[in-house]
Amino acid sequence: MTLSLLRNAFSNLLGAVIPALVALGTVPLVVKGLGDASYGVYSLVTAIVGYFAVIDINVTAGSVKYIAEFNAHQDRDRINETVFFGLSVYALLGVLGGLGLFFGAHFFVTRVFSVPSALVGEAVATLKLAALGFFLGQLQSYLNSIPQSLMRYDIASRIEMVFGTGVPLLTVAVLMLGYGLFEVILLRVLTSAVNCAVLWRCIRRLLPDLAWRKPGAAIRRELLGFSAYSFLSRFATLSYAYADKLIIGALVGVTGLAYFTVASTLANRILSLTYRLSGVLFPAASALAARGEMERLRTLYLKASRYVVFINASVLVLVAVFSYQILYYWMNPQFARAGQVVLAVMALSQFIDSLTSLPSLVNDGMGHPRFSGMFALARAAFGLVVVYLGVDGWGIAGAAWGHLIASVLLTCAFLAAVHGRTVPARLGDLARQAYLPSVFGVGLVALLAAAGNRLFDGGPLDLILLVLLTMALLFAWGMLFVIEKDDKDLAWTRVKGLLSMRKTV
C-alpha cells in the first residue's frame, strides 16, 4: 500500500474518530438535558430528515469518480462543468426536500408517529426548522466530496474534525444554559451554514481556476448515468438506516426509540469508522482502472480487505462482549438493561455489513454501480420487512435481530455476485487471504473474553483489566498472523527513521 494512500486513509479516519468520540461522550449529557422522551423526539426528527435524503440521486459518487479522472488528465474545463452541475443538482434537491419537510411537519408528528401531546408543538416547530438544515446539509455533503475526489482527504477531514467536535460540545452548552430541542436544532443549522462557507473557501484554493461553466450533454450523461444506479444504493442505504427508527417510533413509542437509538448509534459509529479507512479506495480504484493497472488494484484490494476485516472483527469483540458494561457506565443501568442485546446484535450486524464496503467501492470505481445499487435495494426491501416483523413481535430487540438476518443473507449474496465479475479478485482468494487470518484468532479471543466477563465481574477494575487483556491478545494475533511482513518492515523502517531524526535534533 502506497504511503500516499495510507496518509489519505488515516486522515479520513482521523476526521471521523475524534468527532465520533466527542459525540458518543456527550450523548449521556444530551439525553439528560433533553429527557428520555424529548431525546426520542430528537431521534425521530433526525430520522425523518435523514429519510428525506433518499431524494438525493447520488451525483456525489459520480462527481468523485469523474473529477478524479479529469484531475489526472488536468482537464480543468470538465472539472468546472462537473462541480457546477453537482452544485446545481444538490441545491435543487435541498429546496425540494426542505419544502416537503416544512409543509409536512404537522402531518408527520401528529398523524404518523406516536409523540406525546405535550411535545407535539415543539416537535412540529423543530421539524420545520430542520427543513432549512436539510437544504444546507445537501450542499455540505456535495462540497465535502470535492476535496476527497482530488485526494485531499486531509483538508476534508480537518474541517470535519473541527465541526464534528464543536457541534456536540456546543449542543451540551446550549442544554446547560437551559435551552431545549428547538435551540439544539437551530445550533446545528447555523453551524452547517458556516461549514458550507469554509468548504467553499477551501475548494477555491484547491481549484484556483474554478469558474462557472455550463455542463455539456456529455458530462450530464456520464454523471447521471453513473449516479442512476449509485442512487439505488444510496436510496436503499438511507431508507434502511432510518426506517427502523420510524417503525419503532410508530409501533413502540419515543421512549423505546431512545433506547434503541443510543445502542444502535454506538454500534454504527464505532464499526463505521473503518469505512473511513477504506473510502479512499474509491477514487484510487477509479484511477487504477482507468490506467489499466488491474493486478495492482487486485493486490491493493486483497491487502486492504485483510486489514479492515481484522480491525472490524477486533472492534466487534470489544463491543459485543462488553455491551452491558459499556451502556451501564456510559449511560445508566436502565439503558444497559434495555439496550444490551440491541448493542451486541447490531454490532455483529454492522460487522457483517462492513464486509461489503471494500467490494462496493472497487465495484463502483470500476464503473459498475448497477451491481451494488441493485443489491443494496434488495437488502433494504428484505431488511425492512424483517425489521418490521421483528419490532411488531419482539420490540427493539426484534429490530436488531431483523437487521442481523438481512445482513447475513444479502452480504453473502453480494460477495458471491461481484467477485470475479466486477471486482478483480476471486471469492476464494478473498476468503483465504483476508478472512481466514482473522476469523480463527479473533473468534478464540472472543470466547476467552466472554468467559472472563462471566467469571470476573468484580467491578470497574476487573473490567478495565479484562478489556486491556483482550486488546493485548488481539494486538498480538494481528502482529503475528495478520500484518504482512513487507508492511511490518516498512513500518519499522519509518519508526527507525523518526527515532534517528529525533536523536539528530
Side-chain angles (χ1 to χ4, degrees), residues 48-266:
I48 294 171
V49 173
Y51 199 82
F52 259 68
V54 298
I55 67 173
D56 179 359
I57 60 175
N58 207 20
V59 172
T60 297
S63 291
V64 171
K65 173 178 172 56
Y66 288 110
I67 289 176
E69 289 185 11
F70 299 152
N71 188 57
H73 298 292
Q74 297 297 303
D75 191 340
R76 299 302 176 195
D77 288 341
R78 301 191 78 186
I79 289 176
N80 290 343
E81 292 181 53
T82 303
V83 168
F84 284 101
F85 180 67
L87 282 174
S88 301
V89 169
Y90 279 90
L92 177 61
L93 293 175
V95 169
L96 293 175
L99 290 174
L101 285 167
F102 185 86
F103 291 107
H106 189 270
F107 171 78
F108 290 129
V109 171
T110 59
R111 299 290 184 87
V112 180
F113 302 107
S114 178
V115 176
S117 57
L119 297 175
V120 166
E122 185 177 31
V124 171
T126 300
L127 189 54
K128 287 184 175 181
L129 177 61
L132 176 59
F134 178 84
F135 170 75
L136 294 170
Q138 291 296 296
L139 292 179
Q140 179 183 324
S141 174
Y142 182 74
L143 292 172
N144 190 61
S145 72
I146 296 175
Q148 296 175 356
S149 64
L150 300 172
M151 294 301 287
R152 292 303 306 269
Y153 282 85
D154 55 330
I155 292 175
S157 297
R158 280 199 297 267
I159 296 172
E160 185 177 5
M161 193 185 308
V162 170
F163 284 92
T165 302
V167 169
L169 295 176
L170 289 172
T171 298
V172 173
V174 165
L175 293 173
M176 291 178 65
L177 290 172
Y179 296 104
L181 179 59
F182 183 85
E183 289 77 15
V184 167
I185 298 299
L186 177 60
L187 166 69
R188 291 174 178 265
V189 170
L190 293 175
T191 53
S192 186
V194 176
N195 197 338
C196 288
V198 172
L199 281 167
W200 180 249
R201 182 178 177 86
C202 291
I203 290 168
R204 293 306 302 263
R205 289 181 177 178
L206 289 173
L207 298 171
D209 299 327
L210 184 64
W212 165 257
R213 185 177 176 88
K214 182 180 179 180
I219 289 292
R220 296 197 304 270
R221 185 170 58 252
E222 288 176 343
L223 283 175
L224 294 176
F226 183 91
S227 300
Y229 288 109
S230 189
F231 163 70
L232 292 178
S233 180
R234 179 175 175 80
F235 173 83
T237 300
L238 286 172
S239 299
Y240 198 53
Y242 293 106
D244 57 353
K245 298 175 182 61
L246 302 182
I247 292 170
I248 292 170
L251 298 182
V252 178
V254 293
T255 301
L257 176 60
Y259 296 143
F260 180 84
T261 299
V262 167
S264 63
T265 298
L266 177 61

Side-chain angles (χ1 to χ4, degrees), residues 131 323 364 394:
S323 59
D364 292 356
W394 298 276

Side-chain angles (χ1 to χ4, degrees), residues 323-342:
S323 59
Y324 181 85
Q325 291 92 334
I326 290 172
L327 290 173
Y328 183 92
Y329 291 108
W330 179 45
M331 298 298 296
N332 56 51
Q334 186 174 358
F335 270 88
R337 288 190 296 271
Q340 174 188 5
V341 172
V342 173

